Amino acid sequence: MYHSEKMLREKGIKVTPQRAAILDVLRDTREHPGVEVIYQRVKKQFPSISLATVYKTVELFVRSNLIQELCLTGDVSRYDARVESHPHVACMNCGKVEDIDNFDMEYIIEPAEQATGYKILKEEIMYFGYCGDCKGVMDN
Ligand SMILES: [Zn+2]
Ligand SMILES: [Zn+2]
């Protein structure tokens, strides 16, 4: 708890228990939750918090680079407290979003820079498919 408050302070964000709780939810999970899921979890601790407050807080965190927003085509945004670039895989059936570990990003940036002449600073890699649980079901 203390650590989330410290992170808020370092970004110059006014610390409130609700804001710290929202950041805790995001830092405690690797599920890449959407606002609705964050809201349901924070509500357990702060029953009077509104969905609008959670939305505004999450937007503030994205602007302050405390969390990153993942854009999924045709879906609501999902959020990740790991702000460094890393690739993700999303299930098109159940909506699960997971990190792909041990993935060599350098390999992708270099050819992209060579092909375009850009100095690339950030990449967002999202693979879409069916997860292990959904694969079998969708094959039928
Ligand atoms: Zn799935
Ligand atoms: Zn992630």
Short mmCIF file of all heavy atoms in Angstrom, two decimals, residues 11 13 23 26 35 38 54-71 77-80 83 122:
data_model
loop_
_atom_site.label_atom_id
_atom_site.label_comp_id
_atom_site.label_asym_id
_atom_site.label_seq_id
_atom_site.Cartn_x
_atom_site.Cartn_y
_atom_site.Cartn_z
N LYS A 11 4.86 11.10 -8.91
CA LYS A 11 4.33 11.63 -10.17
C LYS A 11 3.60 12.96 -9.96
O LYS A 11 3.00 13.49 -10.88
CB LYS A 11 3.36 10.63 -10.81
CG LYS A 11 4.01 9.33 -11.24
CD LYS A 11 4.82 9.53 -12.52
CE LYS A 11 5.42 8.21 -13.00
NZ LYS A 11 6.27 8.39 -14.18
N ILE A 13 0.95 13.40 -8.16
CA ILE A 13 -0.50 13.19 -8.08
C ILE A 13 -0.91 13.23 -6.61
O ILE A 13 -0.28 12.59 -5.76
CB ILE A 13 -0.89 11.83 -8.69
CG1 ILE A 13 -0.54 11.81 -10.19
CG2 ILE A 13 -2.37 11.53 -8.47
CD1 ILE A 13 -0.66 10.44 -10.83
N LEU A 23 -4.46 1.93 -7.94
CA LEU A 23 -3.12 1.57 -8.40
C LEU A 23 -2.71 0.20 -7.85
O LEU A 23 -2.11 -0.61 -8.56
CB LEU A 23 -2.11 2.65 -8.00
CG LEU A 23 -0.70 2.52 -8.58
CD1 LEU A 23 -0.72 2.41 -10.11
CD2 LEU A 23 0.17 3.71 -8.17
N LEU A 26 -4.17 -2.57 -9.97
CA LEU A 26 -3.44 -2.75 -11.22
C LEU A 26 -2.07 -3.38 -11.01
O LEU A 26 -1.61 -4.17 -11.83
CB LEU A 26 -3.31 -1.41 -11.94
CG LEU A 26 -4.59 -1.01 -12.67
CD1 LEU A 26 -4.71 0.49 -12.81
CD2 LEU A 26 -4.63 -1.68 -14.04
N VAL A 35 -11.65 -1.15 -17.08
CA VAL A 35 -12.13 -0.30 -16.00
C VAL A 35 -13.21 -0.99 -15.15
O VAL A 35 -13.22 -0.87 -13.92
CB VAL A 35 -12.66 1.05 -16.56
CG1 VAL A 35 -13.45 1.82 -15.52
CG2 VAL A 35 -11.50 1.89 -17.04
N ILE A 38 -11.60 -3.28 -12.63
CA ILE A 38 -10.91 -2.49 -11.60
C ILE A 38 -11.95 -1.95 -10.61
O ILE A 38 -11.79 -2.05 -9.40
CB ILE A 38 -10.12 -1.32 -12.25
CG1 ILE A 38 -9.05 -1.86 -13.21
CG2 ILE A 38 -9.48 -0.44 -11.16
CD1 ILE A 38 -8.44 -0.80 -14.11
N VAL A 54 -13.38 5.93 -11.14
CA VAL A 54 -12.38 4.94 -11.56
C VAL A 54 -11.89 5.28 -12.98
O VAL A 54 -10.69 5.27 -13.25
CB VAL A 54 -12.94 3.50 -11.47
CG1 VAL A 54 -11.90 2.49 -11.97
CG2 VAL A 54 -13.34 3.16 -10.04
N TYR A 55 -12.82 5.62 -13.87
CA TYR A 55 -12.46 6.03 -15.23
C TYR A 55 -11.47 7.20 -15.22
O TYR A 55 -10.44 7.18 -15.87
CB TYR A 55 -13.71 6.46 -16.03
CG TYR A 55 -14.26 5.38 -16.92
CD1 TYR A 55 -15.43 4.72 -16.60
CD2 TYR A 55 -13.59 5.01 -18.10
CE1 TYR A 55 -15.95 3.72 -17.41
CE2 TYR A 55 -14.09 4.02 -18.92
CZ TYR A 55 -15.27 3.37 -18.56
OH TYR A 55 -15.75 2.39 -19.37
N LYS A 56 -11.84 8.24 -14.46
CA LYS A 56 -11.02 9.45 -14.43
C LYS A 56 -9.63 9.16 -13.85
O LYS A 56 -8.63 9.68 -14.32
CB LYS A 56 -11.72 10.55 -13.60
CG LYS A 56 -12.61 11.42 -14.46
CD LYS A 56 -13.19 12.56 -13.62
CE LYS A 56 -14.69 12.37 -13.47
NZ LYS A 56 -15.30 12.96 -12.30
N THR A 57 -9.61 8.33 -12.81
CA THR A 57 -8.34 8.01 -12.15
C THR A 57 -7.43 7.21 -13.09
O THR A 57 -6.24 7.48 -13.21
CB THR A 57 -8.61 7.21 -10.86
OG1 THR A 57 -9.53 7.95 -10.06
CG2 THR A 57 -7.33 6.97 -10.09
N VAL A 58 -8.03 6.25 -13.79
CA VAL A 58 -7.25 5.42 -14.72
C VAL A 58 -6.68 6.31 -15.84
O VAL A 58 -5.52 6.18 -16.23
CB VAL A 58 -8.15 4.28 -15.25
CG1 VAL A 58 -7.57 3.65 -16.51
CG2 VAL A 58 -8.34 3.21 -14.16
N GLU A 59 -7.49 7.25 -16.34
CA GLU A 59 -7.02 8.18 -17.38
C GLU A 59 -5.85 9.03 -16.87
O GLU A 59 -4.88 9.26 -17.58
CB GLU A 59 -8.15 9.10 -17.84
CG GLU A 59 -9.05 8.46 -18.87
CD GLU A 59 -10.27 9.30 -19.19
OE1 GLU A 59 -10.28 10.51 -18.86
OE2 GLU A 59 -11.23 8.74 -19.77
N LEU A 60 -5.97 9.48 -15.62
CA LEU A 60 -4.90 10.27 -15.00
C LEU A 60 -3.62 9.44 -14.89
O LEU A 60 -2.52 9.93 -15.20
CB LEU A 60 -5.37 10.73 -13.60
CG LEU A 60 -4.34 11.42 -12.71
CD1 LEU A 60 -3.99 12.79 -13.26
CD2 LEU A 60 -4.88 11.55 -11.28
N PHE A 61 -3.75 8.19 -14.51
CA PHE A 61 -2.58 7.31 -14.38
C PHE A 61 -1.91 7.07 -15.74
O PHE A 61 -0.69 7.01 -15.82
CB PHE A 61 -2.98 5.96 -13.77
CG PHE A 61 -3.36 6.01 -12.31
CD1 PHE A 61 -3.84 4.86 -11.67
CD2 PHE A 61 -3.23 7.16 -11.56
CE1 PHE A 61 -4.19 4.88 -10.33
CE2 PHE A 61 -3.58 7.20 -10.21
CZ PHE A 61 -4.06 6.05 -9.59
N VAL A 62 -2.72 6.95 -16.79
CA VAL A 62 -2.16 6.74 -18.13
C VAL A 62 -1.37 7.99 -18.55
O VAL A 62 -0.24 7.89 -19.03
CB VAL A 62 -3.26 6.41 -19.18
CG1 VAL A 62 -2.70 6.40 -20.60
CG2 VAL A 62 -3.91 5.06 -18.87
N ARG A 63 -1.98 9.17 -18.34
CA ARG A 63 -1.30 10.42 -18.70
C ARG A 63 0.01 10.59 -17.93
O ARG A 63 0.96 11.17 -18.42
CB ARG A 63 -2.21 11.63 -18.42
CG ARG A 63 -3.27 11.87 -19.47
CD ARG A 63 -3.80 13.31 -19.40
NE ARG A 63 -4.28 13.67 -18.08
CZ ARG A 63 -5.50 13.43 -17.61
NH1 ARG A 63 -6.38 12.81 -18.38
NH2 ARG A 63 -5.86 13.79 -16.40
N SER A 64 0.05 10.09 -16.69
CA SER A 64 1.24 10.22 -15.84
C SER A 64 2.22 9.08 -16.04
O SER A 64 3.23 9.00 -15.35
CB SER A 64 0.82 10.26 -14.37
OG SER A 64 -0.17 11.21 -14.16
N ASN A 65 1.89 8.19 -16.98
CA ASN A 65 2.75 7.04 -17.27
C ASN A 65 2.96 6.12 -16.06
O ASN A 65 4.00 5.49 -15.91
CB ASN A 65 4.10 7.51 -17.85
CG ASN A 65 4.80 6.40 -18.61
OD1 ASN A 65 4.14 5.61 -19.29
ND2 ASN A 65 6.11 6.33 -18.49
N LEU A 66 1.97 6.03 -15.21
CA LEU A 66 2.02 5.08 -14.09
C LEU A 66 1.54 3.71 -14.57
O LEU A 66 1.90 2.68 -14.02
CB LEU A 66 1.08 5.53 -12.97
CG LEU A 66 1.62 6.50 -11.93
CD1 LEU A 66 0.48 6.99 -11.05
CD2 LEU A 66 2.70 5.86 -11.08
N ILE A 67 0.69 3.74 -15.58
CA ILE A 67 0.17 2.51 -16.18
C ILE A 67 0.12 2.74 -17.68
O ILE A 67 0.22 3.88 -18.14
CB ILE A 67 -1.26 2.16 -15.66
CG1 ILE A 67 -2.27 3.26 -16.04
CG2 ILE A 67 -1.25 1.94 -14.15
CD1 ILE A 67 -3.72 2.88 -15.73
N GLN A 68 -0.03 1.67 -18.46
CA GLN A 68 -0.23 1.86 -19.90
C GLN A 68 -1.59 1.31 -20.33
O GLN A 68 -2.12 0.39 -19.73
CB GLN A 68 0.91 1.26 -20.72
CG GLN A 68 1.04 -0.23 -20.67
CD GLN A 68 2.00 -0.74 -21.75
OE1 GLN A 68 1.93 -0.35 -22.92
NE2 GLN A 68 2.92 -1.61 -21.36
N GLU A 69 -2.09 1.95 -21.38
CA GLU A 69 -3.37 1.56 -21.94
C GLU A 69 -3.10 0.65 -23.13
O GLU A 69 -2.28 0.97 -23.98
CB GLU A 69 -4.12 2.82 -22.39
CG GLU A 69 -5.47 2.55 -22.95
CD GLU A 69 -6.26 3.84 -23.21
OE1 GLU A 69 -5.67 4.94 -23.15
OE2 GLU A 69 -7.47 3.74 -23.46
N LEU A 70 -3.77 -0.48 -23.17
CA LEU A 70 -3.62 -1.39 -24.30
C LEU A 70 -4.84 -1.25 -25.18
O LEU A 70 -5.97 -1.29 -24.69
CB LEU A 70 -3.51 -2.83 -23.81
CG LEU A 70 -2.41 -3.13 -22.79
CD1 LEU A 70 -2.52 -4.58 -22.33
CD2 LEU A 70 -1.03 -2.87 -23.37
N CYS A 71 -4.62 -1.05 -26.47
CA CYS A 71 -5.74 -0.87 -27.38
C CYS A 71 -6.06 -2.17 -28.07
O CYS A 71 -5.24 -2.71 -28.79
CB CYS A 71 -5.42 0.22 -28.39
SG CYS A 71 -5.10 1.78 -27.57
N SER A 77 -10.71 -0.52 -23.60
CA SER A 77 -9.29 -0.49 -23.24
C SER A 77 -9.00 -1.37 -22.04
O SER A 77 -9.84 -1.55 -21.16
CB SER A 77 -8.87 0.94 -22.92
OG SER A 77 -8.87 1.71 -24.09
N ARG A 78 -7.79 -1.89 -22.02
CA ARG A 78 -7.32 -2.69 -20.89
C ARG A 78 -6.06 -2.01 -20.37
O ARG A 78 -5.38 -1.30 -21.11
CB ARG A 78 -7.02 -4.11 -21.38
CG ARG A 78 -8.21 -4.77 -22.07
CD ARG A 78 -9.21 -5.27 -21.08
NE ARG A 78 -8.66 -6.43 -20.43
CZ ARG A 78 -8.99 -7.70 -20.73
NH1 ARG A 78 -9.91 -7.92 -21.62
NH2 ARG A 78 -8.43 -8.70 -20.12
N TYR A 79 -5.77 -2.22 -19.10
CA TYR A 79 -4.68 -1.47 -18.46
C TYR A 79 -3.65 -2.38 -17.83
O TYR A 79 -3.94 -3.48 -17.37
CB TYR A 79 -5.28 -0.50 -17.44
CG TYR A 79 -6.20 0.47 -18.12
CD1 TYR A 79 -7.56 0.20 -18.22
CD2 TYR A 79 -5.71 1.61 -18.74
CE1 TYR A 79 -8.42 1.05 -18.89
CE2 TYR A 79 -6.55 2.47 -19.43
CZ TYR A 79 -7.91 2.19 -19.49
OH TYR A 79 -8.74 3.03 -20.18
N ASP A 80 -2.42 -1.87 -17.79
CA ASP A 80 -1.27 -2.67 -17.39
C ASP A 80 -0.32 -1.78 -16.56
O ASP A 80 0.08 -0.71 -17.01
CB ASP A 80 -0.56 -3.13 -18.67
CG ASP A 80 0.48 -4.20 -18.41
OD1 ASP A 80 0.86 -4.40 -17.24
OD2 ASP A 80 0.91 -4.83 -19.39
N VAL A 83 4.80 -0.63 -17.36
CA VAL A 83 4.76 0.41 -18.40
C VAL A 83 5.80 0.24 -19.50
O VAL A 83 5.69 0.84 -20.55
CB VAL A 83 4.85 1.84 -17.81
CG1 VAL A 83 3.54 2.20 -17.11
CG2 VAL A 83 6.02 1.99 -16.86
N LYS A 122 8.81 3.35 -29.09
CA LYS A 122 7.80 2.57 -28.38
C LYS A 122 7.11 1.67 -29.37
O LYS A 122 6.90 2.05 -30.51
CB LYS A 122 6.79 3.57 -27.79
CG LYS A 122 5.65 2.97 -27.01
CD LYS A 122 4.64 4.07 -26.67
CE LYS A 122 3.56 3.57 -25.75
NZ LYS A 122 2.70 2.54 -26.32
#
